C-alpha cells in the first residue's frame, strides 16, 4: 500500500479515536486531509461524529474544509456528536465569510446580522418588538409572498416589515432564509409557529421538513433528515437567486450608447423596482454599447475588488467612485453608485454577475479566457480557477490560441494550473514546433521572474518542462543514471524511452546554451 494511503488511513483512525498528537504528526507528512475514505468519510467528519473537539479544531486550523455547499459539509455539521463541536464548525465557517474562495451558502449566511459591511435595507420586527436587519432582494428572491409584501407602494414605513410571531421563531425563520444551518436549533415548541410561517410564505420545502421532523425521535434518523434537507435548502436558494437574477438583474439592464461615462441619477435608470438595487454595474462592450445592471453591494462584495471599492475608506477607492459618478448632479446620498467592469462583452459581464449571485459555473469555453481576465481584475480567485479548469479542458483551445499566449495569460493572472498546462503541452510537443523563437522568449521571460519570486536557483518554466518530459516517457530521476551505465545498449535505452528523453532534453539544453542560461 502506498505510504500516502497508509498515512491517510492512520489519520482517519486518529480522528475516530481522538489522538490529536498522532493526527498532527500525520498531517505534517502532507496527507490530503480533505479526501474521503472508502465509506466517503472525511477526517473532519469522523472527528466531529466521534466528539473529539480538539481534533476538530486541529483539522480546521490545518485547512480542513466544511463546505456547506456540499453534502459532506452538511454531514459534518449535523453529524457532530455535541453542540459545542457544531458551534465550532459554524463559527469557523462564518468567520471566513468574506474570503474570496468562500462558497455560496457561507456568503449568504454572512449577510444576516452583518456588522462589517452593513448592506441591509430593511428591518423585520416581530410581535414583541425585536428587530432584525435584512435585505429586500434576499427576502424577495426566497419567497414570492414576501416579494409581494415588500413591493407594495412606498410609504414612510417601506423599510420595516412586521411579522407576528415569537422572537425566537422569527430568528430561526430568518436564519433559514439566509441558509444558516439551524435545523438542530428547532425545538418541539417551535414547530407550530414555524409551520405557520412556512404556510404563510409558501415555503413548501420547509413545511415538508417540519412535517417529517416534528414527530421523529431517533437521533440518527433525525440527523440524516437534517443533512438531506440542508442540502436541498441550499440548492433551492441557489435556484431562487438564479431566477431573481435572470428576471430582475440580467433582464433589468438599461442599454445606452457608446459614451464612456453614463450619467446616473436616482431617477434616471428605469429598472424593475422589484430588484431593490443599491448600486449599478456598468459593462462597456468593445463593440460600442453599454449596459447598466441593477445590483447589490451585498453580493458583489464576494469579489475583493468590489468590497474594497465599496466599503474601504482608502483614498484610491474614493477616487475611483468619484470618477465613475462624476457626471452626477444630485446630492451624494441620493445617488446610486455605479462601478464599471473592464471592457468586455455583455455575455462576460453577465457570467460575472451570475457567479457572484448564485455561484454559477456555466462558463462557455469560447468565453473562458475573457472571463478569466475580468475575474483577475475583480480579484475573484475562485472564479479564476474555475475558468482555468474550463480552458484546460477545452478540446479546441489551441485552434485559436498559441500555447505561449496561454502561458502569458497564466503569468498575467497568476493561475498556476495554466502554467502547468502550458509546460506540459510544450514538453509533450517539444519536437513539433516550426520555430523555437517563442519558446526562447518564454524561457527568457521565465528567467526574469526568478527575482520576482525571490528565488535564485531555477527557471520555473524549464524545471516544469523537464519534469513533464520525464513524465512523458514514464521515467523517474533514478532512471537517468542508466544513460551512463547502459550507454552501449542502445536497444535497451530506446525500449525504455531514455533515448527519446535525451533527444527532447537536448532541445531544451541547446536553447538554454544559446540564451546563456545554463543551470
Amino acid at each position: 500500500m502506498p505510504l500516502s494511503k497508509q498515512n491517510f488511513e492512520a489519520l482517519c483512525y486518529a480522528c475516530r479515536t481522538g489522538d490529536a498528537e498522532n493526527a498532527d504528526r500525520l498531517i505534517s507528512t502532507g496527507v490530503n486531509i480533505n479526501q474521503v475514505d472508502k465509506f466517503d468519510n472525511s477526517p473532519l467528519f469522523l472527528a466531529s461524529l466521534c466528539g473529539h473537539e480538539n481534533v476538530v479544531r486541529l483539522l480546521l486550523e490545518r485547512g480542513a474544509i466544511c463546505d456547506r455547499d456540499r453534502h459532506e459539509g452538511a454531514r459534518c455539521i449535523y453529524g457532530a456528536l455535541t453542540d459545542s463541536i457544531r458551534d465550532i464548525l459554524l463559527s469557523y465557517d462564518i468567520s471566513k465569510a468574506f474570503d474570496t474562495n468562500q462558497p455560496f451558502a457561507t456568503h449568504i449566511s454572512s449577510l444576516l446580522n452583518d456588522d462589517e459591511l452593513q448592506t441591509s435595507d430593511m428591518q423585520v420586527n416581530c410581535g414583541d418588538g425585536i428587530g432584525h436587519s435584512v435585505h429586500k432582494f434576499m427576502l424577495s428572491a426566497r419567497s414570492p409572498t414576501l416579494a409581494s409584501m415588500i413591493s407594495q407602494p412606498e410609504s414612510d414605513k417601506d423599510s420595516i416589515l412586521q411579522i407576528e410571531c415569537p422572537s425566537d421563531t422569527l430568528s430561526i425563520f430568518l436564519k433559514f432564509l439566509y441558509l444558516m444551518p439551524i435545523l438542530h436549533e428547532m425545538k418541539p415548541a417551535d414547530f407550530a409557529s414555524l409551520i405557520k410561517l412556512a404556510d404563510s410564505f409558501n415555503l413548501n420545502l420547509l413545511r415538508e421538513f417540519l412535517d417529517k421532523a416534528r414527530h421523529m425521535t431517533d437521533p440518527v434518523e433525525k440527523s440524516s433528515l437534517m443533512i438531506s434537507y440542508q442540502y436541498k435548502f441550499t440548492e433551492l436558494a441557489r435556484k431562487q437567486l438564479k431566477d431573481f437574477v435572470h428576471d430582475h438583474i440580467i433582464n433589468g439592464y438599461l442599454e445606452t450608447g457608446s459614451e464612456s461615462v453614463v450619467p446616473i441619477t436616482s431617477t434616471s435608470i428605469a429598472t424593475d423596482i422589484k430588484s431593490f438595487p443599491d448600486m449599478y454595474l456598468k459593462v462597456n462592450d468593445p463593440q460600442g454599447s453599454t449596459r447598466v445592471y441593477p445590483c447589490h453591494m451585498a453580493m458583489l462584495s464576494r469579489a475583493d475588488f468590489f468590497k474594497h471599492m465599496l466599503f474601504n475608506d482608502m483614498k484610491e477607492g474614493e477616487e475611483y467612485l468619484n470618477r465613475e459618478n462624476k457626471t452626477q448632479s444630485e446630492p451624494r446620498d441620493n445617488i446610486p453608485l455605479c462601478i464599471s467592469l473592464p471592457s468586455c462583452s455583455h455575455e462576460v459581464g453577465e457570467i460575472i454577475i451570475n457567479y457572484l449571485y448564485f455561484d454559477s459555473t456555466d462558463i462557455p469555453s469560447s468565453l473562458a479566457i475573457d472571463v478569466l481576465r475580468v475575474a483577475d481584475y475583480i480579484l475573484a480567485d475562485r472564479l479564476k480557477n474555475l475558468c482555468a479548469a474550463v480552458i484546460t479542458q477545452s478540446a479546441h483551445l489551441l485552434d485559436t490560441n498559441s500555447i505561449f499566449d496561454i502561458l502569458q495569460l497564466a503569468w498575467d493572472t497568476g493561475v498556476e494550473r495554466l502554467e502547468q498546462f502550458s509546460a506540459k503541452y510544450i514538453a509533450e510537443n517539444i519536437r513539433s514546433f516550426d520555430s523555437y523563437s517563442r519558446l526562447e522568449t518564454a524561457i527568457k521571460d521565465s528567467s526574469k521572474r526568478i527575482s520576482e519570486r525571490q528565488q535564485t536557483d531555477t527557471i520555473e518554466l524549464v524545471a516544469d518542462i523537464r519534469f513533464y518530459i520525464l513524465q512523458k516517457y514514464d521515467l523517474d530521476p533514478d532512471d537517468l543514471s542508466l544513460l551512463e551505465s547502459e550507454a552501449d545498449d542502445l536497444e535497451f535505452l530506446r525500449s525504455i524511452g531514455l533515448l527519446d528523453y535525451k533527444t527532447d532534453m537536448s532541445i531544451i539544453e541547446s536553447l538554454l546554451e544559446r540564451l546563456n542560461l545554463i543551470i
Side-chain angles (χ1 to χ4, degrees):
M1 180 185 297
L3 182 59
S4 59
K5 187 174 182 180
Q6 289 181 12
N7 286 344
F8 177 72
E9 291 186 356
L11 175 62
C12 290
Y13 182 77
C15 291
R16 286 196 299 270
T17 59
D19 188 348
E21 290 75 15
N22 200 32
D24 196 10
R25 178 187 67 80
L26 290 162
I27 292 170
S28 68
T29 66
V31 64
N32 179 6
I33 62 176
N34 288 307
Q35 60 183 308
V36 295
D37 63 14
K38 61 183 179 181
F39 303 108
D40 289 331
N41 296 326
S42 68
L44 183 61
F45 172 74
L46 293 170
S48 302
L49 180 69
C50 297
H52 302 304
E53 185 173 318
N54 57 340
V55 181
V56 169
R57 290 185 184 277
L58 172 68
L59 290 166
L60 290 171
E61 290 169 0
R62 297 294 189 273
I65 297 172
C66 181
D67 184 349
R68 289 191 283 119
D69 283 7
R70 301 171 58 196
H71 187 258
E72 176 61 33
R75 289 183 75 216
C76 285
I77 292 168
Y78 292 118
L81 184 66
T82 66
D83 288 340
S84 62
I85 290 178
R86 187 176 293 113
D87 290 342
I88 290 169
L89 293 168
L90 291 174
S91 64
Y92 189 88
D93 193 24
I94 298 301
S95 71
K96 300 187 299 179
F98 290 98
D99 186 274
T100 55
N101 291 320
Q102 65 191 298
F104 164 76
T106 303
H107 182 78
I108 299 300
S109 296
S110 73
L111 299 177
L112 188 63
N113 304 322
D114 167 33
D115 295 327
E116 182 180 0
L117 303 186
Q118 298 181 353
T119 56
S120 59
D121 56 1
M122 170 171 273
Q123 180 168 304
V124 176
N125 295 335
C126 59
D128 49 16
I130 297 179
H132 300 265
S133 297
V134 297
H135 303 75
K136 291 180 180 178
F137 82 90
M138 184 61 65
L139 269 60
S140 180
R142 298 288 274 122
S143 164
T145 304
L146 282 170
S148 178
M149 293 172 63
I150 296 170
S151 299
Q152 295 299 316
E154 294 185 6
S155 67
D156 293 338
K157 297 182 179 181
D158 65 322
S159 292
I160 299 176
L161 180 65
Q162 190 76 20
I163 296 179
E164 298 300 327
C165 67
S167 59
D168 289 346
T169 303
L170 179 60
S171 177
I172 291 174
F173 178 68
L174 293 177
K175 287 179 180 179
F176 163 79
L177 292 180
Y178 278 79
L179 295 181
M180 286 189 177
I182 43 75
L183 302 183
H184 61 283
E185 294 182 15
M186 297 178 180
K187 307 292 190 296
D190 299 322
F191 276 65
S193 297
L194 286 170
I195 287 174
K196 183 177 179 181
L197 286 178
D199 289 342
S200 297
F201 299 116
N202 293 312
L203 302 175
N204 299 329
L205 193 60
L206 176 59
R207 173 60 191 263
E208 183 180 299
F209 167 79
L210 293 169
D211 285 340
K212 292 181 178 180
R214 65 188 307 188
H215 301 302
M216 190 173 287
T217 57
D218 184 278
V220 175
E221 290 184 5
K222 197 165 187 177
S223 176
S224 297
L225 186 72
M226 288 189 290
I227 291 168
S228 173
Y229 272 85
Q230 187 65 50
Y231 181 75
K232 291 179 180 179
F233 293 147
T234 298
E235 292 310 298
L236 175 62
R238 195 192 307 274
K239 181 183 182 304
Q240 290 170 332
L241 276 167
K242 177 180 180 180
D243 293 342
F244 179 88
V245 168
H246 178 269
D247 293 342
H248 303 303
I249 297 179
I250 301 301
N251 287 337
Y253 68 83
L254 173 73
E255 188 152 8
T256 70
S258 59
E259 59 266 31
S260 59
V261 177
V262 180
I264 305 294
T265 70
S266 60
T267 58
S268 67
I269 298 185
T271 58
D272 185 343
I273 192 173
K274 293 181 180 179
S275 63
F276 310 110
D278 56 11
M279 65 166 293
Y280 297 95
L281 185 65
K282 184 166 60 175
V283 179
N284 300 305
D285 190 290
Q287 302 301 317
S289 64
T290 295
R291 289 183 182 178
V292 183
Y293 297 88
C295 292
H296 306 88
M297 299 180 189
M299 299 308 293
L300 266 59
S301 65
R302 288 189 69 192
D304 273 1
F305 170 81
F306 294 117
K307 181 186 174 185
H308 173 74
M309 290 299 170
L310 293 168
F311 302 105
N312 286 8
D313 293 329
M314 297 178 70
K315 183 177 179 181
E316 57 266 34
E318 287 294 327
E319 290 177 350
Y320 180 94
L321 293 176
N322 290 335
R323 181 172 70 252
E324 284 298 295
N325 297 275
K326 65 183 179 181
T327 63
Q328 301 167 352
S329 58
E330 296 186 53
R332 186 77 166 92
D333 291 344
N334 295 328
I335 301 172
L337 293 175
C338 184
I339 296 182
S340 290
L341 289 178
S343 179
C344 63
S345 68
H346 301 319
E347 291 83 359
V348 169
E350 290 172 6
I351 289 171
I352 298 293
I353 292 172
N354 289 338
Y355 168 77
L356 294 175
Y357 272 84
F358 57 90
D359 235 24
S360 171
T361 58
D362 185 12
I363 306 170
S365 59
S366 60
L367 297 176
I369 290 177
D370 293 335
V371 175
L372 172 57
R373 292 193 182 278
V374 177
D376 183 57
Y377 180 89
I378 65 174
L379 307 177
D381 287 345
R382 182 164 169 265
L383 181 56
K384 286 165 58 175
N385 290 326
L386 292 171
C387 290
V390 173
I391 291 170
T392 57
Q393 294 169 23
S394 172
H396 304 291
L397 171 73
L398 297 176
D399 292 346
T400 53
N401 297 275
S402 162
I403 191 61
F404 300 104
D405 293 332
I406 301 300
L407 178 60
Q408 188 61 54
L409 176 67
W411 287 339
D412 290 343
T413 58
V415 180
E416 184 178 358
R417 178 171 182 154
L418 288 183
E419 287 190 56
Q420 297 300 316
F421 171 82
S422 301
K424 185 175 183 180
Y425 181 90
I426 292 170
E428 291 178 346
N429 298 275
I430 191 70
R431 302 188 207 179
S432 64
F433 293 106
D434 296 331
S435 167
Y436 288 104
S437 60
R438 294 205 67 181
L439 180 54
E440 282 188 13
T441 301
I443 292 173
K444 190 185 302 182
D445 290 344
S446 183
S447 71
K448 295 175 183 177
R449 295 169 58 83
I450 292 176
S451 59
E452 296 175 15
R453 300 192 313 271
Q454 297 181 340
Q455 297 174 359
T456 59
D457 60 344
T458 182
I459 298 174
E460 192 169 23
L461 176 61
V462 173
D464 289 340
I465 292 173
R466 284 171 168 163
F467 169 79
Y468 285 116
I469 290 176
L470 272 174
Q471 189 182 79
K472 174 182 177 180
Y473 296 110
D474 196 24
L475 300 170
D476 62 53
D478 291 340
D479 294 327
L480 302 185
S481 62
L482 296 174
L483 284 170
E484 295 184 6
S485 63
E486 304 291 339
D488 295 331
D489 192 345
L490 297 181
E491 284 303 316
F492 171 72
L493 294 179
R494 182 177 292 107
S495 68
I496 64 174
L498 273 171
L499 287 186
D500 286 330
Y501 166 82
K502 186 176 180 180
T503 301
D504 287 0
M505 284 301 302
S506 67
I507 296 173
I508 296 297
E509 301 307 329
S510 64
L511 291 176
L512 290 172
E513 185 176 0
R514 193 180 324 174
L515 294 168
N516 197 28
L517 290 172
I518 296 296
I519 54 174

